[in-house]
Amino acid sequence: EADIYQTPRYLVIGTGKKITLECSQTMGHDKMYWYQQDPGMELHLIHYSYGVNSTEKGDLSSESTVSRIRTEHFPLTLESARPSHTSQYLCASTAAGGHEQFFGPGTRLTVL
Amino acid sequence: SQKIEQNSEALNIQEGKTATLTCNYTNYSPAYLQWYRQDPGRGPVFLLLIRENEKEKRKERLKVTFDTTLKQSLFHITASQPADSATYLCALGGYQKVTFGTGTKLQVIP
């Protein structure tokens, strides 16, 4: 079982709210990722980090931001949520030099 | 543009048979290819990785082949069980980046 955690698991909020999705891993992995996945669709990379103070945007344009102040923590923030942000958000991590991605359980976000 | 194609329709097979899932790609030269399993409402779980210079990799009842000329990977589950029912994703890896396919849903019928 991978030691990567996401909270909350489910979130229903109103339009315009600011939210932060939490992701933590206890494996000491340098690389961390955020993906967005709609039902039956592929995972889209929205942000990634190769270490502390390193963050990059992924392939999918996103209005979210991330930070990496500590190795184990990679939160994702939406300043003003919209219905188009409704989706599943998956966090993953990889050890330095490795390729296997360990995924968290995901956060199912619904914006009304 | 880069494209990964997996069987979009669900694959239904009888318990005990071998399931074969296909991953085709275009406009891509991956250094490695991975297969993941994803259950409903959960994150993907890594199964196997095969590198561009490898033709075949096995792990218990799982077998993956990788043909860089055909730009195709086949994923086999032998002696399939109902517990193998899930969506299987292929992912292509290159420099700093992994791209996932949409997955194939496998249903093993008892």
Side-chain angles (χ1 to χ4, degrees), chain A residues 1 9 35 37 40-43 48 50 59 88 90 99-101 103-105, chain B residues 32 34 36 38 41-44 46 49 51 89 96-102:
Chain A
E1 193 83 11
R9 290 293 314 279
Y35 292 91
Q37 185 182 33
M41 303 298 287
E42 64 264 51
L43 281 74
Y48 61 97
Y50 284 163
D59 300 323
Q88 164 126 324
L90 290 160
H99 301 298
E100 175 183 349
Q101 295 199 20
F103 282 84
Chain B
Y32 59 90
Q34 301 175 325
Y36 288 79
Q38 186 172 25
R42 303 181 71 92
F46 172 80
L49 178 150
R51 300 185 186 280
L89 312 175
Q96 292 189 337
K97 187 175 168 177
V98 173
T99 304
F100 285 84
T102 54

Side-chain angles (χ1 to χ4, degrees), chain B residues 4-15:
Chain B
I4 301 172
E5 291 183 351
Q6 296 188 251
N7 309 55
S8 57
E9 298 193 6
L11 179 64
N12 296 319
I13 65 163
Q14 207 68 38
E15 181 178 4

Side-chain angles (χ1 to χ4, degrees), chain A residues 2 13 24 36 44 56 62 65 80 90 98 111:
Chain A
I13 60 167
S24 294
Q36 186 174 340
H44 290 288
E56 301 287 344
S62 173
T65 59
S80 180
L90 290 160
V111 184

Side-chain angles (χ1 to χ4, degrees), chain B residues 34-78:
Chain B
Q34 301 175 325
W35 283 89
Y36 288 79
R37 169 184 172 140
Q38 186 172 25
D39 291 290
R42 303 181 71 92
V45 175
F46 172 80
L47 296 173
L48 280 169
L49 178 150
I50 187 166
R51 300 185 186 280
E52 60 178 337
N53 60 348
E54 297 175 313
K55 293 259 187 261
E56 183 180 299
K57 189 73 80 72
R58 291 175 186 260
K59 179 182 175 183
E60 297 173 353
R61 293 185 296 114
L62 308 179
K63 185 178 88 170
V64 172
T65 63
F66 193 12
D67 189 326
T68 55
T69 301
L70 291 178
K71 295 187 182 296
Q72 181 182 78
S73 174
L74 298 179
F75 176 77
H76 306 273
I77 305 175
T78 58

